[in-house]
Amino acid sequence: MPLRGSRPAGPWGRLLLVVALAACAARASEITFELPDNAKQCFYEEIAQGTKCTLEFQVITGGHYDVDCRLEDPDGTVLYKEMKKQYDSFTFTASRNGTYKFCFSNEFSTFTHKTVYFDFQVGEDPPLFPSENRVTALTQMESACVSIHEALKSVIDYQTHFRLREAQGRSRAEDLNTRVAYWSIGEAIILLVVSIGQVFLLKSFFSDKRTTTTRVGS
């Protein structure tokens, strides 16, 4: 077992180091939540001054897939504000220490619930080898570890966006299927009413004609 602070020996030790550092990435919050009609939901995050942060959100289901979003610093200054957005991304650097607040509002909607996903990332990923003060280039193994780490991050991002698109597409398909079903039921009812109406109309027509013929004959 290597001593604390020393570099793990062999390729397996380096691979374990990559896995451990990948697990200690920047602080991030990914949440999917229900936002009822006429409702507002706020979240709070303690951020240190000079920290780079990114807020990304997307409406998955509900109405026109839009929501209001607002981000404020500890002094209440509005850093970001958008109305009826389907999705967006905003990056900023904290100007001071304190609690930052970001809210999602569906107050403009009277009947429609929304499902909202957001990813709030605080800080940047640490380097894979933070304990080493390098004056030379990375070795071939270390370069491969860095490339794998970056590729895995890209895969995670792509998987998240594909899952969101799949959920949104499923919601649209189910909504369209419900509308088609209701439309079909409505057409069947109208067709039934028209058919019954035609029967009664023809019956009334022939009854009146028979009555007229009987009076003329008499």
Side-chain angles (χ1 to χ4, degrees):
M1 179 183 296
L3 297 176
R4 181 178 300 176
S6 62
R7 184 168 57 183
W12 291 109
R14 293 176 184 272
L15 183 58
L16 290 176
L17 177 62
V18 171
V19 174
L21 289 174
C24 299
R27 195 158 38 107
S29 300
E30 291 186 68
I31 297 178
T32 302
F33 65 97
E34 293 284 342
L35 186 61
D37 52 282
N38 294 317
K40 181 178 180 181
Q41 183 71 44
C42 293
F43 301 87
Y44 303 84
E45 184 74 29
E46 286 285 341
I47 304 176
Q49 182 178 2
T51 304
K52 186 178 179 180
C53 307
T54 301
L55 172 63
E56 182 178 0
F57 67 91
Q58 180 175 341
V59 181
I60 303 176
T61 63
H64 297 288
Y65 302 89
D66 53 357
V67 72
D68 296 343
C69 183
R70 181 186 181 99
L71 173 65
E72 298 179 0
D73 67 5
D75 295 328
T77 303
V78 178
L79 304 178
Y80 171 85
K81 180 179 179 182
E82 288 292 341
M83 311 295 289
K84 297 184 178 181
K85 293 285 290 187
Q86 295 183 352
Y87 58 88
D88 202 4
S89 178
F90 176 69
T91 301
F92 68 98
T93 301
S95 58
R96 53 162 296 178
N97 298 329
T99 303
Y100 287 72
K101 179 176 74 171
F102 55 99
C103 301
F104 299 95
S105 174
N106 193 31
E107 295 174 326
F108 59 86
S109 180
T110 307
F111 303 103
T112 308
H113 285 51
K114 306 288 175 63
T115 303
V116 183
Y117 161 85
F118 76 85
D119 177 13
F120 190 67
Q121 184 162 352
V122 180
E124 298 180 348
D125 289 338
L128 286 180
F129 306 99
S131 60
E132 300 181 7
N133 296 321
R134 293 207 165 270
V135 294
T136 58
L138 297 175
T139 64
Q140 185 176 359
M141 176 64 71
E142 291 166 346
S143 299
C145 290
V146 172
S147 300
I148 293 173
H149 178 62
E150 295 298 326
L152 289 176
K153 287 169 57 180
S154 299
V155 168
I156 291 173
D157 290 338
Y158 280 121
Q159 286 180 335
T160 300
H161 285 92
F162 281 135
R163 283 197 296 267
L164 292 176
R165 290 179 61 183
E166 189 274 336
Q168 192 176 70
R170 178 181 293 273
S171 174
R172 291 179 185 270
E174 291 177 351
D175 183 58
L176 180 60
N177 181 63
T178 302
R179 294 186 180 185
V180 170
Y182 285 146
W183 180 261
S184 300
I185 293 173
E187 284 187 329
I189 293 174
I190 292 174
L191 182 61
L192 180 62
V193 171
V194 170
S195 300
I196 295 174
Q198 286 179 342
V199 170
F200 279 104
L201 182 64
L202 290 174
K203 184 178 180 180
S204 174
F205 174 76
F206 284 112
S207 297
D208 293 342
K209 188 174 181 181
R210 185 182 304 169
T211 302
T212 304
T213 305
T214 302
R215 289 178 180 176
V216 172
S218 61

